[in-house]
Amino acid sequence: MTEAFLRDLVIRTLRDPRGAAAQILAMGLPMQARWLALGAVIALSAVLGSLAEIMFAFVTKIELGEGSPVPMAVAQGVLLIYGAGAMTVVGRWCGGQGRFADALLLLVWMEFVLILGQVVQVLMMVFFPLSAVVASALLLGLMFWLLVQFTAALHGFERLSTVSAGVIVTFFASALLAGVILLSLGIVPVPVAG
């Protein structure tokens, strides 16, 4: 993949996400390449997260402490794999035909596009600190929009309103399930009324 190809694919992703998804899936990348791409975006995200913490401390003069990027990278990897699994299982449950390998590839590409947006956000934090909040909201909106479009492309769904509702329900159900698991394992303490 050349730099020009990646640039054109990013632009197409923003203009025509379903077309970009079809183009990505048509590449027929082997599973090993998909796992390598996952590792690459996790590493990029961890580096960018550390850089963002440094910039935040520089701009606000608030030290966040010396945190290792490894736990965040592991968590992100788990979330992307879980997301691909949920995207596949829920989509198939609703009549889609998408495969896990393709869902993983699309989520990895989505993460790469979001990382590019986060680079812009970090630069904005340095020069226009208040605008970084707006950039965060825009990135969140972009993530939801791409997730809906890619899910529809993966499974061949046409009604984006239904896909949007499915994404929202799956997100809240997943958050609830994660909360129950974390409480059960004692990772998050049970709140006690005082």
Side-chain angles (χ1 to χ4, degrees):
M1 287 189 201
T2 65
E3 183 181 332
F5 174 81
L6 287 175
R7 183 186 64 243
D8 291 344
L9 191 53
V10 167
I11 292 169
R12 185 172 188 192
T13 300
L14 298 176
R15 290 182 177 168
D16 175 24
R18 293 181 77 168
Q23 181 180 349
I24 291 164
L25 296 179
M27 293 167 61
L29 294 175
M31 199 63 200
Q32 183 180 8
R34 298 172 194 226
W35 288 118
L36 285 172
L38 173 67
V41 296
I42 290 170
L44 278 172
S45 185
V47 169
L48 185 61
S50 297
L51 181 61
E53 283 185 15
I54 293 167
M55 291 295 188
F56 180 81
F58 175 76
V59 170
T60 64
K61 309 299 184 216
I62 299 172
E63 288 293 332
L64 297 175
E66 301 255 346
S68 169
V70 174
M72 186 58 79
V74 170
Q76 184 166 29
V78 168
L79 284 173
L80 284 171
I81 292 169
Y82 171 80
M87 191 176 183
T88 305
V89 171
V90 175
R92 282 179 169 265
W93 183 62
C94 294
Q97 299 298 319
R99 300 181 312 127
F100 172 81
D102 292 339
L104 181 67
L105 182 60
L106 290 176
L107 286 187
V108 165
W109 177 252
M110 183 182 78
E111 183 64 22
F112 177 73
V113 172
L114 292 173
I115 286 171
L116 295 179
Q118 288 168 336
V119 169
V120 174
Q121 182 184 20
V122 168
L123 292 174
M124 290 175 71
M125 190 188 304
V126 174
F127 299 107
F128 312 103
L130 293 178
S131 65
V133 176
V134 176
S136 294
L138 290 174
L139 281 175
L140 189 61
L142 176 62
M143 181 183 73
F144 178 76
W145 184 61
L146 290 178
L147 187 56
V148 168
Q149 295 282 345
F150 283 0
T151 301
L154 176 69
H155 291 290
F157 296 144
E158 294 299 327
R159 296 186 61 191
L160 293 182
S161 58
T162 305
V163 177
S164 298
V167 167
I168 292 168
V169 169
T170 302
F171 173 80
F172 282 111
S174 297
L176 181 63
L177 178 64
V180 169
I181 291 171
L182 292 174
L183 283 171
S184 300
L185 296 175
I187 296 171
V188 174
V190 178
V192 179

